[in-house]
Each structure stands twice: as structure tokens, then as C-alpha cells.
Amino acid sequence: MAIARMTKVSIALHSSHKEELLKHLQDESALHITKIKEESAENEYETSDGERIRHLESQLNHLDDTRKFLQNFIKKGGFLEGLIPQRVPVSEEKFIDTVKNFEFEKITERIKILNIQLSKLRAEKDHLSSNKEIIEPWLGLSTPVELLKTTATSLVLAGTVNKRYFKDETVKKTEEAGIEIEKIDESKNEVYLIVIFHKSNEEKARSFLDEINFSVEDFRGFEGKPSDILREIQTRIQMVEDETENLIEQGKEFVGFYQELLIIYEHTLNEITRLHAIQDATRTKTTYIIEGWVETKRKETLKNLVNSYEAAMMLDIEPEEDEKPPVKLVNKTIFQPFEIVTNLYGTPNYKELDPSPLLAVFFAVFFGMCITDAGYGIVLALLALFLMKKIPTGRKFLWLIFIGAIFAIIEGALLGGWFGDLFRGSFLDKITKEIMLFDPMKSYFVFYRLALFLGCIQIYWGLFIKLYEYIKDKRFTDAFFEGIVWIAIITSLLLMLFSTDFCIQLNLTPKKLLPETYLLPSGIIFCVSALLVFIFGARNEKNPFFRLFLGGLRFFILGGIFSYLGDFLSYIRLMALGLVTAGIAGAINDIARMTLGIPIVGIVIFVIILVCGHLFNLGINTLGGFVHTLRLQYVEFFQKFFTGGGKTFNPLRRNEKYIILKEA
Amino acid sequence: MDGVGIAIAGSAMAAFLAGIGSAIGIGIVGQQAAGVLSEDPEKFGSLFILVVLPGTQGFYGFLASMLAMGKITPNLTMIDGWRILFACLPIAIAGFVSAIHQGKVCAAGANLVAKRADQAMKGVMYAVMVETYAVLGLIITIFLLAKV
């Protein structure tokens, strides 16, 4: 229904057209190129392309470094820009002009050198900082550090001792060991000391120093008094910082060319993409042959394009036997946003139905139900419309949210949610009560039944889609045993449930829906269907006992009645999420109302709490509603019929990493 | 101790146990996400969803706590107090445990984002699987409170 028909084509071209035709194909973005299986593994003609690719890739790296360098000086966007990377819109003329005339090498070279210089300066600063750390504790020392060395008769050492080992009696003990000691300073954990002892006493002194864990400080490379050294280090750090600043200022000058650099980046990337694409082709000395898939309805356009070249032509070819066409989803505009839901899960295979339009209504209704607040729906819808202007790339997703928000408004109005119970006691209360069907905060069980009922519809819908797919594929046996039998089992179980008191115990209905006469016939249908699943559930198994065992397994567990039970119950989450929104909104209103008692500032606090609280609640519930609604589609709905495993249609096309071409 | 005290204990437990669980869960995924972010700041969007996911249990607990509060009247009997307390337990405990485990699944999801940013939503789906049981706990708490 909504998966595009594909035709396999082969394009032969003379190598003189290569550049231009490929570029044309890339702009057209209609051909999904497939790799041609080479007979001979080696191809002597590939080298020149390979070199070009390597050259372009290194150019791309330089451009990317430049981009990263300059990015720091671009004015930062708000939270939103951080959330979704923005692409710069550029007009076609600007793009072509930049590619032709902009001399980017000068800039990338300059930035490359700047980057090297900056990293040198960084290293130097690190070195200076670590020297600073060494010298700082010794500021109390008034002798130049080069004098701390062995003289003819004695040894002079500077070093630290951990405070744990340095007690009051230590000084006395040290002097007893024949060591002169001077305390220079102390920090939180360490004591900084100068010790002097006579050479004749060295052995004894050293062993004593080891005992108190004296660790010698090495001042090699330093000269002068510590205070002078520190001053010098500080001057040099200042110089390094100034120089860094200066270099960054130089780099900043190129910020004005940021957009041009992005264009060149994109242009380079486009060429690399083309060259990679042509590597999938077969080639002789003068010709290339490209194979690929094109959407059947765009085939003629593509053919005309190729035929406009003198030495190029396009032919339809037969796909290989086990070859599967790539999959592109094509839907009516209204259903397009829902393709996001399908794509997030995976690509359907070429032969099955595109689930996007099939899940659309359910998705919107469920999403709305998780929010169930008309006020929130309005805010969300406006927000989505506003963001569509700001983020053109996220438009499809925002439409999805917008449609969901519209349903939230409808469902919220029906269930009386307007920013929780914000209008309670005001004149609006009467109007909202008029439209309200029931209050979910009071009648939990009505909400609960509604959630289950909607779930029931979606599960049946999934089963019928599966049945349809079997019939469409002419797999009638499967259609009967996997489709009809299961529909019979679920239906008979439901009929039995509603004709006994059990449904009242489960709070499914206030009173019995069906007379007991339904019990017997539906029981018989159930038993017969169950038997069929037992016997034919594993039709392909030869061993009869194993076949019965597998059939039983199938009946109970493998997509059997217990998984259906789980599926039904899973839909109760809709009710829980709806209640969470309403409940927390009510709590926010209650808290806000408490502040109204405070004179003068009360009203200000009231408004602040309302605005912040409701925005927060809206955010958290939109997220929750979205992911839980997705789960219901994927786990409960898709499992009924979706196979997937298709390859996404990925035509040769322009990259749109940082920029996006404006429509003229 | 009269019924009010016991009921307050129940209401408080729903809020703080589920809240602690969410805090731990977000703590786990938050650290992981910050690590991934240090490599690639552009992944903030996908990581953001993963980081806030374990936060929902705290809100479920908060809601249950508010609902329980609505049941507290000055002359609540001892028995009703206990009823309220026990009714609060499903979301309190299921919320507490599931939020921590969801945090771990989300942290794994953050690793997934680090390597394959386009697959982020699949990590989110796994995390939602864990959350299901907190949702079920909340539903039962709501129903039980309705019966008190």
C-alpha cells in the first residue's frame, strides 16, 4: 500500500561524463546504487579514484578542524539549539559561488598552524604550572636553591615530611641524630624542611630521615631564591596567556567565513560520497556501469536525465533471484509524520504493508490519552507550530507532536482536563463541565475500561492486518491457522468473560453485558480452536509428540493466550499516564492556590508556580506519553503482523550535515 | 499511634521511596551520559531523554502520595491508616526498585548512543520495558486507594 514500487536499472556511461552525470544523479537523489559483484577481484583502474578520495578526506579533516576551532566563537544558541543540532540554510547561488571562488586553503592552513602553536603554548603552560606548584611551598626559604647541595664537609637537603611522622619531639630527636633542622613552612598534610648534617654523620642521618619518611625535593633546573623563581614563572605564564589570547584573536578573524567553510566542507563531502558510489560500479578503461534501484514512478525522469548525455544510457534489468529491493515509505501527507514511528523501529520488508498509516489513529489517540488535558494540548500544539519555524529539519516530528496535541485537546476536553482543575470555582468551570463525559480523577474505573477497550480494538486490528497479509500472499493455510483461529480464540474468550460474573470482579463492567446463553457456544468455539492450535500450531514438525508439545507451547506462551493477556493489560498504562498528568496538574494548582493567601506578592508567586509547574508537568508527560505510546505500537501492535528486515532506500544524494539548501 | 500517623507514613513512603529510586536511577545514567557528552557534545538531545526517563517513578510516587493525602481525615481509624499505608506500597517499592534498574538500562543506552547515535530510540524502548512495572504498581496503588 505504502511502500514504493522499485525497478532495477543499469546505467552505462563514458568516463568523460563521470563527474557531471554523477553530480546530476546526486542532485536528483533517485538512485539507490548497489554493488556489482565483480568477476575479477582486482581492478586496475581504481587507483586514481582512491588517491582522490584520500586527498579529499585529508582536506575534509582540515576543514573539520577549522570548523571546530571557529565553532567556539560562534554565538551559542539556547537550550533548544543544544538539543537539536542546527543546519544553516544556504541558497543555491551562494553555494555554487562559494565553491567556485572561495579560497579556503588559506584559512585552513592558517588555522592548522594556529592549532599547532596553541597546543605548544598549552604544553608550556602546563609545564610552568607544575613548576609553580613545586616552588610555591618554599617561599619562606631565603637562600637561593642552588646552594642546597653537598659541600665539602656537609650535606644540605630540602624536603617534606608527612605531618603524621612530624611530632613535637621529632625536632629534638633529629638534633640528637646530629642533624640541623629548619622548618620553612607547612601545608595541610606536609611539613617543609631544610636539614643539614655533617658528612661523617651521613649514614646515621640518612637512616633517621628514612624513618620519618623524609622525601627529598629536587630543585634541579631552578636557580635563585624561591620568591624570585616564582615571580619569573608568573611572568612567563602571563606571557604564554597573552600569546594564546593573541593567537585566538587572530583565529577569530575568520569567524566571518564560517558559513563558507561549511559549504566547502559539504561540497567536499559530496564529492567523496560520489567517489565512494562509483567504486561500486564496474569499469573498463573508458566506461562505467552502475546498477541500482529507482522508484518505478521516477524511472522516466531518471531515464531522460541519463539520455540527455551523449554517451550514456539507462536500461531496465532483472534483479537477481534472491535480491530484495530497497524500501521507501510513501504515504499521504497526513500520514507522513507517522513514518517516524515505523522508521524508529526498523524498515518493513518490501513485500509487507507499511504500518505507518495503520497505526496513525491509534498513535494519536493514545498519545492524547497520556496527556488528557486540553490546556496542555493547546500549549503543546502552539509550541510545535512555533518550533516548526525555528527547526525546519525537525518538521516531520513536530507534525507528529502537533497531531498528538490536537487529540490531547479533544480527549482533554471530553475528560474535563484544563490545566488540571485550574478553572475550579470560576465561571469557565460550568462550560468545561458541560463538555465533560466523566472525571477520570473520580471515576478511575471508567478510564480503566476505556484504556482496555482501545487496546482491544488495536489488538483486533493487528490480527486482521495479519490475516489480510496472509490472504494477499495466497498463504491460505497460514491465514486459517494463524489468523482466523486466533481471532476465534480471542473472541470466544472475551464472549465467555462477559457472560460470567468474572467481568464484574475484574471491574470491567458494572453489570454483566451478555446473557449466560453465550457461554456454551463460545466455550465450544474456544475448545475447538484451542485443539486446532495444539494439533496444527507446529505444522512443520514431523515428530508427532514434539509437534503436540510445540503446539501447546504455541497455544500458551509463544504468542499464545498468555501473551495476549499481557498485551491487553499493557494498555492500562494509558490510564495511568493520563492520571499522572491530571493528578500532578491538580497538585500544582493546589500548591499555587495556597500562596494566594499571602498579601501582594501572593499573586506573583501564584503565577510563577503555575507557569513553571505546568510547563514542567507538560514536558515530563509529553516525554512519558510519547515513549509509552511508541512501546504500545512496537510491542503490542507490531508483534501481531510486522516482519521487517527491509533495506532502507538510500539513494546517492547530497549530504546535509551542516547546511541545508534553501528552495529558491 | 492513631490512623493519621500511619496513613501519613504510607503517603510519605510512596513519595520518598519512589523519589530515592528515581534519584539513584538518574544518578547512574547521568554520570554515564556526562562521560559520553565529553566526547561528543552534540549528542545532548538523545542523551537527555535517557537521563530523564528514570525520573518518572518519582512522579508516580508523588501522585500516589497526593492521592493518599486526600484520604487522610482527622479522625481516621487505625485500620484505615494501615490500609492506606499498604495501598501505597506497590508504587513505593516497585517505583524504588524499577527506577534504579531503569537507570542501569539507560546507562547502557547512553553507551549505545556513544557508538550509534541513530539507534538511541531503541535504548529508550528497553528502558520503557522496565518502567512498565512501575506503571503497574501505580495503577494498583490507585485502585487500592479507591477501595479504602
Side-chain angles (χ1 to χ4, degrees):
Chain A
M1 176 161 37
I3 287 175
R5 297 283 105 197
M6 293 284 166
T7 307
K8 191 159 189 198
V9 296
S10 165
I11 297 175
L13 62 143
H14 189 261
S15 56
S16 60
H17 292 325
K18 185 185 84 176
E19 287 287 309
E20 209 180 335
L21 179 60
L22 273 178
K23 203 155 176 295
H24 227 130
L25 285 174
Q26 191 173 32
D27 290 345
E28 198 64 27
S29 154
L31 187 70
H32 175 108
I33 295 176
T34 53
K35 202 173 173 72
I36 297 178
K37 283 181 199 136
E38 289 273 4
E39 305 277 296
S40 58
E42 285 296 311
N43 196 326
E44 61 211 277
Y45 307 107
E46 265 167 18
T47 43
S48 65
D49 281 349
E51 255 164 48
R52 178 84 182 133
I53 289 179
R54 272 191 294 282
H55 166 75
L56 288 173
E57 272 168 355
S58 99
Q59 180 177 318
L60 199 69
N61 275 337
H62 288 157
L63 282 162
D64 204 39
D65 288 344
T66 311
R67 183 190 65 81
K68 280 184 193 145
F69 184 88
L70 293 178
Q71 202 183 27
N72 299 323
F73 314 123
I74 301 282
K75 226 201 302 166
K76 283 276 176 339
F79 176 74
L80 192 71
E81 279 78 6
L83 213 57
I84 303 146
Q86 300 281 296
R87 283 181 276 185
V88 186
V90 167
S91 71
E92 179 110 39
E93 297 91 67
K94 166 96 182 157
F95 191 99
I96 294 168
D97 183 60
T98 311
V99 168
K100 213 189 238 170
N101 301 323
F102 185 65
E103 291 175 9
F104 66 93
E105 282 101 342
K106 272 188 203 159
I107 297 178
T108 50
E109 277 305 307
R110 186 78 196 99
I111 299 275
K112 196 170 137 192
I113 294 165
L114 281 181
N115 264 332
I116 295 170
Q117 287 170 326
L118 280 172
S119 69
K120 269 189 200 151
L121 287 175
R122 258 197 306 277
E124 191 177 346
K125 197 181 162 189
D126 286 346
H127 177 68
L128 288 170
S129 306
S130 72
N131 278 350
K132 193 175 154 197
E133 266 167 40
I134 295 174
I135 215 76
E136 250 168 353
W138 298 97
L139 285 181
L141 184 68
S142 51
T143 24
V145 290
E146 65 268 27
L147 296 182
L148 301 172
K149 61 180 182 192
T150 314
T151 63
T153 53
S154 59
L155 278 122
V156 185
L157 295 175
T160 56
V161 173
N162 193 298
K163 270 195 180 162
R164 266 186 298 159
Y165 304 105
F166 195 81
K167 307 207 175 67
D168 289 338
E169 68 270 20
T170 318
V171 179
K172 219 174 121 206
K173 276 190 186 164
T174 322
E175 276 160 8
E176 275 166 19
I179 305 172
E180 283 284 317
I181 186 162
E182 192 188 343
K183 193 165 138 190
I184 302 295
D185 204 352
E186 61 183 290
S187 67
K188 206 169 140 209
N189 301 318
E190 308 272 324
V191 186
Y192 298 87
L193 301 169
I194 299 286
V195 293
I196 307 171
F197 48 87
H198 198 266
K199 260 192 176 165
S200 60
N201 194 23
E202 186 171 353
E203 204 171 312
K204 198 176 153 203
R206 288 230 187 239
S207 76
F208 177 79
L209 289 174
D210 281 347
E211 224 167 87
I212 58 168
N213 276 346
F214 181 83
S215 91
V216 179
E217 189 73 75
D218 189 1
F219 285 115
R220 252 178 297 174
F222 293 105
E223 238 174 63
K225 278 195 277 183
S227 54
D228 294 337
I229 299 175
L230 184 71
R231 209 171 306 125
E232 198 191 318
I233 291 176
Q234 274 163 342
T235 334
R236 277 173 63 195
I237 287 183
Q238 189 59 44
M239 271 163 62
V240 168
E241 276 172 359
D242 288 347
E243 182 62 16
T244 310
E245 190 84 352
N246 178 24
L247 288 179
I248 289 178
E249 281 303 319
Q250 284 181 32
K252 250 189 197 173
E253 284 170 25
F254 299 118
V255 165
F257 299 112
Y258 189 66
Q259 203 184 60
E260 279 81 358
L261 285 163
L262 291 187
I263 292 176
I264 301 289
Y265 180 92
E266 211 89 335
H267 176 71
T268 312
L269 195 60
N270 281 343
E271 189 174 346
I272 293 177
T273 313
R274 289 199 296 272
L275 288 171
H276 276 302
I278 199 76
Q279 295 207 318
D280 285 342
T282 353
R283 58 172 300 186
T284 64
K285 199 169 174 190
T286 51
T287 54
Y288 286 86
I289 295 170
I290 310 171
E291 280 181 12
W293 293 91
V294 58
E295 240 180 284
T296 310
K297 73 171 194 238
R298 289 184 70 182
K299 197 180 75 184
E300 284 311 310
T301 332
L302 198 67
K303 198 168 225 164
N304 290 339
L305 187 152
V306 173
N307 288 344
S308 68
Y309 287 86
E310 208 177 330
M313 66 180 223
M314 183 172 114
L315 291 174
D316 290 14
I317 55 171
E318 276 297 309
E320 285 172 43
E321 218 163 280
D322 57 343
E323 199 178 0
K324 292 187 185 75
V327 172
K328 184 184 179 190
L329 306 182
V330 206
N331 285 298
K332 293 216 176 71
T333 324
I334 183 83
F335 291 130
Q336 273 168 14
F338 297 94
E339 289 172 5
I340 287 183
V341 180
T342 307
N343 285 331
L344 278 175
Y345 185 79
T347 314
N349 68 46
Y350 186 66
K351 284 194 179 137
E352 68 186 335
L353 294 173
D354 173 9
S356 319
L358 305 174
L359 61 79
V361 175
F362 292 102
F363 188 91
V365 170
F366 292 171
F367 181 71
M369 207 162 155
C370 291
I371 294 179
T372 332
D373 192 296
Y376 284 5
I378 292 169
V379 174
L380 195 59
L382 292 177
L383 213 61
L385 285 178
F386 169 73
L387 289 179
M388 268 178 226
K389 281 229 172 76
K390 290 210 87 175
I391 317 167
T393 46
R395 203 163 270 179
K396 215 164 153 186
F397 175 74
L398 291 168
W399 272 116
L400 185 65
I401 297 291
F402 180 80
I403 297 172
I406 297 294
F407 276 80
I409 298 174
I410 299 169
E411 289 165 62
L414 291 178
L415 302 191
W418 295 87
F419 298 104
D421 56 352
L422 187 62
F423 300 150
R424 196 179 66 204
S426 76
F427 69 99
L428 285 166
D429 201 27
K430 247 191 177 158
I431 309 170
T432 57
K433 285 267 157 56
E434 282 288 304
I435 337 171
M436 185 170 79
L437 292 179
F438 67 90
D439 184 353
M441 290 306 284
K442 295 205 177 77
S443 344
Y444 301 140
F445 289 111
V446 185
F447 205 7
Y448 163 77
R449 286 163 204 154
L450 179 66
L452 280 174
F453 177 70
L454 288 172
C456 195
I457 296 178
Q458 194 178 30
I459 288 174
Y460 266 103
W461 179 231
L463 280 169
F464 277 108
I465 294 170
K466 177 152 109 179
L467 185 61
Y468 169 82
E469 287 198 327
Y470 280 135
I471 293 173
K472 195 187 65 171
D473 288 350
K474 303 209 163 50
R475 288 165 63 187
F476 296 114
T477 337
D478 287 341
F480 181 74
F481 288 116
E482 305 296 325
I484 293 174
V485 166
W486 276 105
I487 292 172
I489 289 175
I490 304 295
T491 314
S492 58
L493 270 177
L494 286 176
L495 288 177
M496 277 152 71
L497 178 63
F498 283 105
S499 52
T500 55
D501 284 338
F502 199 45
C503 63
I504 303 172
Q505 285 165 27
L506 286 176
N507 283 312
L508 292 174
T509 50
K511 57 180 197 295
K512 260 199 304 189
L513 283 185
L514 301 166
E516 287 201 2
T517 44
Y518 278 76
L519 196 54
L520 189 64
S522 46
I524 294 170
I525 298 174
F526 175 74
C527 290
V528 172
S529 319
L531 209 60
L532 285 172
V533 176
F534 265 89
I535 301 171
F536 297 102
R539 292 182 291 286
N540 303 325
E541 187 57 45
K542 295 228 167 58
N543 183 333
F545 292 104
F546 199 52
R547 174 168 159 168
L548 271 183
F549 171 72
L550 279 183
L553 216 56
R554 170 87 179 81
F555 180 71
F556 289 112
I557 300 160
L558 295 172
I561 50 172
F562 286 115
S563 23
Y564 279 99
L565 179 69
D567 290 351
F568 281 116
L569 293 181
S570 189
Y571 287 88
I572 310 175
R573 78 182 65 230
L574 291 175
M575 166 223 171
L577 289 162
L579 282 185
V580 168
T581 322
I584 293 178
I588 291 165
N589 292 337
D590 286 345
I591 295 168
R593 281 187 197 114
M594 283 178 207
T595 64
L596 276 179
I598 310 168
I600 313 169
V601 287
I603 186 81
V604 182
I605 303 175
F606 174 73
V607 173
I608 292 175
I609 292 181
L610 278 188
V611 173
C612 297
H614 283 302
L615 273 180
F616 184 70
N617 191 27
L618 173 65
I620 206 93
N621 281 293
T622 307
L623 176 68
F626 188 75
V627 293
H628 280 282
T629 308
L630 274 186
R631 180 221 144 103
L632 285 177
Q633 311 305 320
Y634 296 159
V635 182
E636 274 73 31
F637 185 52
F638 277 18
Q639 298 311 319
K640 302 283 171 296
F641 64 93
F642 190 79
T643 325
K647 208 167 28 177
T648 315
F649 179 72
N650 187 11
L652 174 65
R653 63 177 145 201
R654 298 168 83 127
N655 296 286
E656 289 182 334
K657 200 168 168 189
Y658 297 121
I659 59 171
I660 185 161
L661 281 189
K662 270 190 293 200
E663 314 252 324
Chain B
M1 200 168 17
D2 63 347
V4 177
I6 299 167
I8 286 177
S11 168
M13 275 163 76
F16 79 72
L17 278 177
I20 292 173
S22 278
I24 298 176
I26 294 185
I28 295 170
V29 51
Q31 293 177 11
Q32 195 81 10
V36 176
L37 212 57
S38 67
E39 287 287 312
D40 195 351
E42 282 173 10
K43 290 184 174 145
F44 181 70
S46 351
L47 288 171
F48 183 74
I49 298 177
L50 285 166
V51 174
V52 297
L53 267 185
T56 39
Q57 279 86 341
F59 288 93
Y60 298 158
F62 174 81
L63 175 67
S65 181
M66 294 298 280
L67 290 173
M69 236 180 268
K71 295 275 171 192
I72 301 175
T73 49
N75 42 13
L76 201 68
T77 64
M78 185 91 138
I79 293 179
D80 278 341
W82 282 112
R83 284 177 176 155
I84 291 175
L85 187 142
F86 280 116
C88 286
L89 289 185
I91 183 56
I93 296 171
F96 175 68
V97 179
S98 72
I100 296 172
H101 282 277
Q102 197 177 16
K104 291 178 183 165
V105 176
C106 287
N111 279 341
L112 172 75
V113 171
K115 291 186 184 122
R116 302 277 308 268
D118 52 324
Q119 300 296 314
M121 219 49 207
K122 292 182 183 163
V124 172
M125 286 324 295
Y126 285 145
V128 175
M129 303 285 162
V130 184
E131 188 169 309
T132 302
Y133 303 97
V135 175
L136 294 180
L138 175 64
I139 291 167
I140 292 305
T141 292
I142 291 173
F143 282 172
L144 290 177
L145 282 173
K147 298 266 174 187
V148 175

